[in-house]
Amino acid sequence: MTDTPASPSASDQPPGLDRKAVMSVLASASAEDLETVYARIGTPPAFEMVRQPETGLVMVRGRMGGTGSPFNLGEVTVTRCVVRLESGEAGSSYCLGRHKQKALQAAVIDALWQRPDDRERVETEIVAPLARIRSKADEDLKAETAATKVDFFTMVRGDN
């Protein structure tokens, strides 16, 4: 049995971004945007594949009104990947669709984020730009939706 360094615990992580938030940003990024920021790493660190990028189906469950009884809505395609850096950090990713390269890049970024020496760089050069892109897209969608809003009002005849 080999000794591998444990993943950092929540108490080892600085306040601010947690791993869940980082993985959420990576998963929601487009494949093109992730590839662009991944290039900022330069030469990626040496890693081994624990689980090759593979595509499968995941059952999505829903609830009527968000509070009703759960029901199976349908299946979605998901690609997952797990890598381990030479220094021992294991990175994993799940992303919607069949983007094997995106899953691999997200897993490497996740593993790098777990390294204390690389965490700040990953957050500023990779995660923050992707979060800004996601935020901008959300704002654009809200603005587009607000532009279609119709205000209905009732006209009262002066019979009072």
Side-chain angles (χ1 to χ4, degrees):
M1 189 166 156
T2 60
D3 292 335
T4 58
S7 296
S9 67
S11 61
D12 296 338
Q13 298 171 5
L17 291 179
D18 61 352
R19 187 171 180 209
K20 181 179 175 183
V22 171
M23 292 180 80
S24 174
V25 169
L26 296 174
S28 64
S30 71
E32 296 79 21
D33 291 338
L34 188 63
E35 187 172 344
T36 300
V37 296
Y38 185 79
R40 296 177 185 170
I41 294 174
T43 305
F47 61 88
E48 67 173 305
M49 291 283 193
V50 175
R51 184 178 299 270
Q52 293 278 340
E54 58 189 0
T55 302
L57 296 172
V58 174
M59 179 60 69
V60 176
R61 296 182 53 94
R63 292 179 183 264
M64 292 303 288
T67 58
S69 298
F71 63 94
N72 291 337
L73 183 63
E75 294 177 331
V76 294
T77 306
V78 174
T79 304
R80 69 178 177 178
C81 181
V82 180
V83 299
R84 179 174 291 117
L85 301 182
E86 283 185 336
S87 54
E89 294 83 7
S92 62
S93 69
Y94 285 81
C95 56
L96 289 174
R98 299 177 173 273
H99 304 284
K100 290 184 177 185
Q101 187 66 24
K102 176 185 173 184
L104 174 61
Q105 291 170 343
V108 171
I109 292 168
D110 175 47
L112 282 173
W113 180 84
Q114 293 178 60
R115 273 201 224 171
D117 295 342
D118 292 324
R119 183 171 295 154
E120 184 177 344
R121 179 174 172 235
V122 167
E123 286 181 4
T124 58
E125 294 181 16
I126 296 173
V127 178
L130 291 174
R132 281 193 296 275
I133 291 168
R134 179 168 128 180
S135 177
K136 173 81 168 93
D138 288 347
E139 289 173 14
D140 291 347
L141 181 62
K142 286 178 185 175
E144 184 178 315
T145 303
T148 65
K149 181 180 177 184
V150 177
D151 288 324
F152 292 96
F153 61 93
T154 302
M155 295 196 51
V156 178
R157 297 169 55 179
D159 294 344
N160 294 350

